[in-house]
Amino acid sequence: MDILEINAVSFAGRVAHVAAAELAGLLKFGEVKPIPAWFTHDELEQGIDVTPEIEDMTAYVAKRGCGGETLYLHRNVGDWNAEDPAIKMAFDLFASTAGSVVARIVEAQNAAEKALELATRPAPAAIDVADTIFEKEESLGTQRPEAVAAQKGIAEYDQAQAADRRAKREAKRLADAAKRATRSTASGAKPPTKPAPMSIGETPAAPPVNRGGRGNRKR
């Protein structure tokens, strides 16, 4: 049987009634001897069904959370102070047992109902992204096409700048090498020949005499 099929009040009442009746029997007779009429002073007819009365007492206890004395007065069975101690203890045991069992059964039924509701709940209908505030993304690491294109352009620009700097360095290197080669060639040329120094008493050679020529007159 499923826990949801159990009547918590009826079940708790039967359990509490057996406990109270056997306790009253022990206290009054010294042995486990149930006393069906522990909760009333009236004589009960043989075979009478006491279930409605037991369930009424159980429902009252579950609703009020009361003890034996309050339940006894609710039954209007007599004077609590003058009552037999065995009957007082029977009422106390019934109240505590019935209240505890009802609470446990109801708690278990609530948990079972919640689990059943979750298990049988239909899956929620899918909501179109256009109807939400969210944008459709493949994953956190996925980039948009424009971002990919921008990164590619930046990389190509950096590569072009690096190539331009290398070309300028190479051109400067070649220019500097050409300058060095030019200076080296200029420094290796022979200087103009100077006349050798004359000895003491040596007369420099006389310049050649212009003896005239056609169109020139001798002076």
Side-chain angles (χ1 to χ4, degrees):
M1 176 181 289
D2 190 276
I3 186 68
L4 295 175
E5 299 177 10
I6 296 178
N7 184 317
V9 172
S10 178
F11 178 79
R14 292 196 301 272
V15 172
H17 172 54
V18 171
E22 291 196 1
L23 176 63
L26 282 172
L27 295 177
K28 291 181 71 70
F29 305 107
E31 59 180 334
V32 177
K33 187 176 181 180
I35 302 182
W38 64 268
F39 52 87
T40 178
H41 282 294
D42 300 332
E43 292 293 333
L44 296 178
E45 296 181 9
Q46 187 69 25
I48 189 172
D49 185 10
V50 297
T51 300
E53 294 186 68
I54 297 298
E55 290 185 355
D56 174 74
M57 295 167 61
T58 305
Y60 184 83
V61 170
K63 181 179 179 180
R64 298 293 183 91
C66 63
E69 181 178 359
T70 302
L71 177 62
Y72 179 90
L73 296 176
H74 167 69
R75 295 285 303 163
N76 295 317
V77 294
D79 183 4
W80 174 260
N81 293 325
E83 185 58 74
D84 187 324
I87 301 302
K88 286 185 177 181
M89 291 193 67
F91 269 94
D92 287 336
L93 180 60
F94 180 92
S96 61
T97 302
S100 176
V101 173
V102 168
R104 294 293 183 87
I105 295 296
V106 170
E107 181 181 3
Q109 289 177 336
N110 290 338
E113 286 180 350
K114 184 176 181 180
L116 180 62
E117 191 273 334
L118 291 175
T120 58
R121 178 186 298 176
I127 301 176
D128 194 278
V129 176
D131 298 331
T132 69
I133 62 173
F134 303 102
E135 295 183 1
K136 193 172 183 179
E137 295 288 349
E138 294 182 1
S139 68
L140 294 177
T142 302
Q143 292 182 328
R144 292 180 177 277
E146 57 269 23
V148 175
Q151 290 187 351
K152 182 179 179 182
I154 292 173
E156 291 176 349
Y157 175 80
D158 290 342
Q159 292 175 357
Q161 291 294 307
D164 183 64
R165 288 192 295 269
R166 287 195 298 270
K168 288 181 178 179
R169 287 197 299 270
E170 182 63 17
K172 185 176 183 303
R173 186 186 67 79
L174 294 175
D176 292 343
K179 289 180 181 180
R180 288 193 297 271
T182 301
R183 286 196 297 268
S184 175
T185 302
S187 62
K190 294 182 179 181
T193 303
K194 296 181 179 180
M198 293 182 296
S199 301
I200 298 175
E202 184 180 0
T203 303
V209 177
N210 186 1
R211 299 184 179 280
R214 185 179 299 177
N216 294 315
R217 291 186 302 176
K218 192 177 181 180
R219 293 181 183 179

